[in-house]
Structures are given as structure tokens and as C-alpha cells.
Amino acid sequence: MEKKTIWDLGRPSVDQYRSRPKLPIALIADNIRSLNNIGSLFRTSDAFLVDRIALCGISATPPSPEIHKTALGAEDSVDWIHYPTVTEAIDALRADGFTICCLEQVKGSVALDKFRPDPNGKYAVIVGHEVDGVSQEAVDAADICLEIPQYGTKHSLNVSVSAALALWQIFTALRPE
Amino acid sequence: MEKKTIWDLGRPSVDQYRSRPKLPIALIADNIRSLNNIGSLFRTSDAFLVDRIALCGISATPPSPEIHKTALGAEDSVDWIHYPTVTEAIDALRADGFTICCLEQVKGSVALDKFRPDPNGKYAVIVGHEVDGVSQEAVDAADICLEIPQYGTKHSLNVSVSAALALWQIFTALRPE
């Protein structure tokens, strides 16, 4: 089979992308420490038509050379807003009709692969700090907690990877065919 | 809901993990340039019970402080083997009964979310170079090409993220309940 060229892929420009409709998916970064991880969240959100990223607390915001290094320009295509606290982000997204989904290893969680998003729903995914995970206040405020089944030696996956898996689970239920 | 502690999670030690059965999933790294990405492939493979990683061509191998930085020890729990060329890795895995799945944007690909792995199958996923992607020789040798649907401005996702999504798609079809 023949590899697609950049012309075959027909990627939109930043201006074209910004004017197009997005999916009703939001990403909430609850105190993400690493600029590389923030950049990666932008790059993944760009691919999956994420409506907006809520950067909370210590999570860094564009413009930043370190964010650019992994976002590769996606920090310009994806809408973002900073909130001082994750609670404010949750309140704003809930008021806008989003179901708040916390991605964390908690008692009573739903396994991510068993989660079946409503194709007509609106979903906000909270991902947390590289070591401490999602804060307890965000867990308490969420409508549902999703957990990635893991069988390895490590405590958890990298947050860029975890976020991508959760966005993928929702994106594939909501995406245009 | 209450967050799980490290004791609740009951993660195995490296020795315990190595002695446990894995899933019939292999990952083939076709000339991955970045040590951070190699480390991330180990960390994700550890979580998803990947049987082995085939590191091909210029792909770096453990031990390496840079790989350790993102693998966080998973380079010791997951089996790996280096092959001078991706063709040798493909031949070895095919001889061992693996279906060879190339993760690349090609004409005639199957959308990753439409791919339904046989729960009794054995799957090897090839991921490629950060800029050039999977080599044409690997595309030509594969049994199937999987493509991640993407709608953004960027050419592609980060290879650590792409690999995780492909492994997830197979892992969730094969994993124990």
C-alpha cells in the first residue's frame, strides 16, 4: 500500500481549523506540571477536534517555547482558557452542559473500555498532576470516574498517554464517519 | 469516591511481572529516534501486558538514562530484542504466528476504531520514525495497515500517543476481564 502524502492528508490551516465545528469534548488539565505534557495535550486535542482545553492551577499556558516543542503549533489551533482552580473549570463546563469525567484510579470507577459515551452527549475529561493525579476536589465534583485498566509494575501511564486514551474513547463515539 | 492507594492497586514487582503470562501482543519500533519515545513505549507496554518490544534499526536500546527517564523502570519489566532491520523483526514475529499490523497513514488502511481484533489472535504493531513514519518496506510487508482518524492541523500524533492508541485497541479486545 502507498503511504499518503501531506497533500493526500489535506490537513487544514490553523485559520481553517479554527473556523470549523468541533466535537463537544473538553479537556481539563488539573495542575499538570510538565510543559511537554501540556504541549502533547494540545497536539492530541487538535487531532481529535477537542472544543477547548481548560488549563487549571499550575498548568502552564501558551505561548511557551517548551509547550511549542511538543504541541508543534497545535497551541494556536485549539482554544484554551486558564482557571485558577479546577473547581471553576468544572463549574463553567457543567453550566455549559458537559458531563464531567474524571480520569483517575478510584474505588467505584468505570473501566475506560467499558465506558459507552452517548453520541449526542457533551464530555469534559479531567486529567491530573504527574505524581499526585487528579485532586480529590475534582474527583468529588465529577459525574463519573473513568479508570484505565493496567496490569504492569508502574503506578500509572504517562498523563499524555492517559489523556489520549480517554479522548480517543469519547472521540470514536462522537466523530463523524 | 476515594482515590486508590498504591496498596489498593497491588502492582507487581518486576520479578513478579516477568514471571506472569503476557498477552500475545508485540510492538515493533521501526527506527524511532527519540529516547523519550522509546521509554514511553516501554511504560505503556508494561501497563498493557505486551509480550515483547522489537527495537529495530536506529531505535535505541536499554540501558540508557534517557530511556529510563520516561520508562521509569519499565525497561526492566518488558522483554525486548534488537533487530538490525524491521524486516528481520517482521519475519521473526510472523514465524511466531503474529499478524503484522502497520500503524501508518496509507491508502487502503483500516480506521483504527473500526479494527476488531480476534480475541484469540496474536498481533504485532509497527510504529515508525517521528518524521518519516513507518518505512515503505514495513508497510509492504504488513498484513494490515491501521490508521488513526485525525482531523487537525498537524500531520500526525506523537508516536508514543499513536502506539498507545493502537495497543489499547488490541489490549481491550484481548485483556482478561
Side-chain angles (χ1 to χ4, degrees):
Chain A
M1 283 184 278
E2 193 185 340
K3 287 169 73 169
K4 292 181 184 172
T5 66
I6 189 72
W7 296 278
D8 292 325
L9 292 171
R11 296 285 186 247
S13 69
V14 168
D15 284 347
Q16 287 171 331
Y17 184 85
R18 292 190 64 84
S19 68
R20 289 184 183 176
K22 304 300 181 301
L23 293 175
I25 304 173
L27 182 60
I28 301 176
D30 179 12
N31 287 311
I32 301 289
R33 188 175 56 184
S34 151
L35 297 167
N36 280 345
N37 282 333
I38 297 284
S40 184
L41 298 182
F42 271 98
R43 184 169 174 187
T44 303
S45 295
D46 170 81
F48 293 159
L49 293 170
V50 166
D51 188 71
R52 74 195 90 159
I53 301 178
L55 299 166
C56 305
I58 65 165
S59 307
T61 58
S64 148
E66 285 74 23
I67 291 176
H68 180 77
K69 205 173 138 189
T70 47
L72 300 176
E75 73 275 29
D76 297 323
S77 60
V78 180
D79 273 342
W80 62 269
I81 180 167
H82 182 265
Y83 293 93
T85 67
V86 69
T87 304
E88 289 163 271
I90 292 171
D91 290 347
L93 284 158
R94 179 170 280 137
D96 202 6
F98 283 80
T99 298
I100 311 298
C101 308
C102 180
L103 187 64
E104 185 53 90
Q105 302 179 118
V106 301
K107 297 172 183 174
S109 63
V110 172
L112 179 63
D113 56 327
K114 307 302 180 197
F115 178 53
R116 296 284 173 268
D118 175 353
N120 299 309
K122 299 176 74 169
Y123 296 95
V125 175
I126 312 175
V127 295
H129 184 272
E130 287 84 349
V131 174
D132 301 328
V134 175
S135 57
Q136 187 65 50
E137 66 181 297
V139 170
D140 292 340
D143 298 306
I144 185 171
C145 282
L146 304 173
E147 179 168 346
I148 299 169
Q150 295 168 58
Y151 298 87
T153 61
K154 308 314 306 167
H155 178 276
S156 65
L157 292 162
N158 170 269
V159 65
S160 301
V161 166
S162 299
L165 295 174
L167 292 175
W168 170 253
Q169 193 74 12
I170 299 170
F171 164 76
T172 54
L174 272 59
R175 83 172 176 96
E177 286 300 316
Chain B
M1 281 183 280
E2 193 185 340
K3 288 170 72 170
K4 292 181 184 173
T5 66
I6 189 71
W7 296 277
D8 292 325
L9 293 171
R11 297 285 186 245
S13 69
V14 169
D15 284 347
Q16 287 170 331
Y17 184 85
R18 293 189 64 84
S19 68
R20 289 183 185 177
K22 305 299 181 301
L23 293 175
I25 304 173
L27 182 59
I28 301 175
D30 179 12
N31 287 312
I32 300 290
R33 188 175 56 185
S34 151
L35 297 167
N36 281 345
N37 283 333
I38 296 285
S40 184
L41 298 182
F42 272 97
R43 185 170 173 187
T44 302
S45 295
D46 170 81
F48 293 158
L49 293 171
V50 166
D51 188 71
R52 72 195 90 159
I53 302 178
L55 299 165
C56 306
I58 66 164
S59 307
T61 59
S64 148
E66 285 74 23
I67 290 175
H68 179 77
K69 204 173 138 189
T70 47
L72 300 177
E75 73 275 29
D76 296 322
S77 60
V78 180
D79 274 342
W80 62 268
I81 180 167
H82 182 266
Y83 293 93
T85 67
V86 69
T87 304
E88 289 163 271
I90 292 170
D91 289 348
L93 284 157
R94 180 170 280 139
D96 202 5
F98 283 80
T99 298
I100 310 297
C101 308
C102 181
L103 188 63
E104 186 52 271
Q105 301 179 121
V106 301
K107 296 173 184 174
S109 64
V110 173
L112 179 63
D113 55 327
K114 307 302 180 198
F115 178 53
R116 297 283 173 269
D118 175 354
N120 298 310
K122 299 175 74 169
Y123 295 95
V125 175
I126 311 175
V127 295
H129 184 272
E130 287 84 349
V131 175
D132 301 328
V134 175
S135 57
Q136 187 64 49
E137 67 181 296
V139 170
D140 292 340
D143 297 305
I144 185 171
C145 281
L146 303 174
E147 180 168 345
I148 298 169
Q150 294 169 58
Y151 298 88
T153 60
K154 308 315 304 167
H155 178 277
S156 65
L157 292 163
N158 169 269
V159 66
S160 301
V161 166
S162 298
L165 295 174
L167 291 176
W168 170 253
Q169 193 73 13
I170 299 170
F171 164 76
T172 54
L174 272 59
R175 82 172 176 98
E177 286 300 315

